[in-house]
Amino acid sequence: MRHKKAIPNRSLRIADQIQRDVSELIRDLKDPRVGMVTVTGVDITPDYAHATVRFSLLVGQPEECQAALNEAAGFIRNGLFKRLQIHTVPTLHFQFDRTTERAAELNALIRQANSQQAKD
């Protein structure tokens, strides 16, 4: 018996769909610890059992927001069950993404180096 070939980029398409749906479901949360959250990416395991959802935060404390999102992961996963058409809906794990903070720090360092060079 031959196995079906894997659909190209299926896991990427599912991760993108999860990213869109999770960002919509987060807006429905009423927890005050969850501020203005932007879902920056989703990494999904090959068996679709677990998904790491990376997010950035505009206002609020990252640690408190991460704890609140991980507590609400079951509620968000339940919403994904209703939206996704796949056999296994992954367990969600939220992780704060520090990419924007690092980019701002690097921009400040570059500006500082350029101003130092201009003085010399």
Side-chain angles (χ1 to χ4, degrees):
M1 182 174 170
R2 294 177 56 194
H3 293 288
K4 290 183 180 179
K5 281 189 171 183
I7 300 171
N9 300 321
R10 181 170 190 251
S11 61
L12 294 175
R13 288 184 287 132
I14 289 175
D16 287 343
Q17 185 64 43
I18 289 173
Q19 180 177 349
R20 286 189 296 271
D21 290 342
V22 166
S23 64
E24 290 177 14
L25 290 167
I26 287 175
R27 286 187 222 136
D28 296 336
L29 295 178
K30 300 197 183 338
D31 195 328
R33 297 176 292 175
V34 178
M36 298 178 71
V37 173
T38 302
V39 177
T40 58
V42 175
D43 296 324
I44 193 164
T45 58
D47 61 351
Y48 305 118
H50 298 276
T52 302
V53 180
R54 294 184 315 276
F55 69 95
S56 63
L57 188 62
L58 189 60
V59 178
Q61 296 295 325
E63 297 82 16
E64 291 178 5
C65 185
Q66 182 173 340
L69 288 172
N70 281 318
E71 289 172 12
F75 171 78
I76 296 170
R77 184 174 185 238
N78 189 26
L80 284 177
F81 269 117
K82 297 172 185 172
R83 294 171 179 237
L84 293 178
Q85 301 294 322
I86 59 175
H87 181 67
T88 304
V89 175
T91 303
L92 303 175
H93 308 282
F94 289 90
Q95 182 180 19
F96 181 65
D97 188 8
R98 299 190 187 283
T99 304
T100 53
E101 290 178 1
R102 289 184 186 141
E105 290 172 2
L106 285 175
N107 282 336
L109 288 173
I110 290 169
R111 261 189 256 114
Q112 183 182 11
N114 286 339
S115 67
Q116 275 294 350
Q117 191 176 23
K119 288 180 184 177
D120 294 340

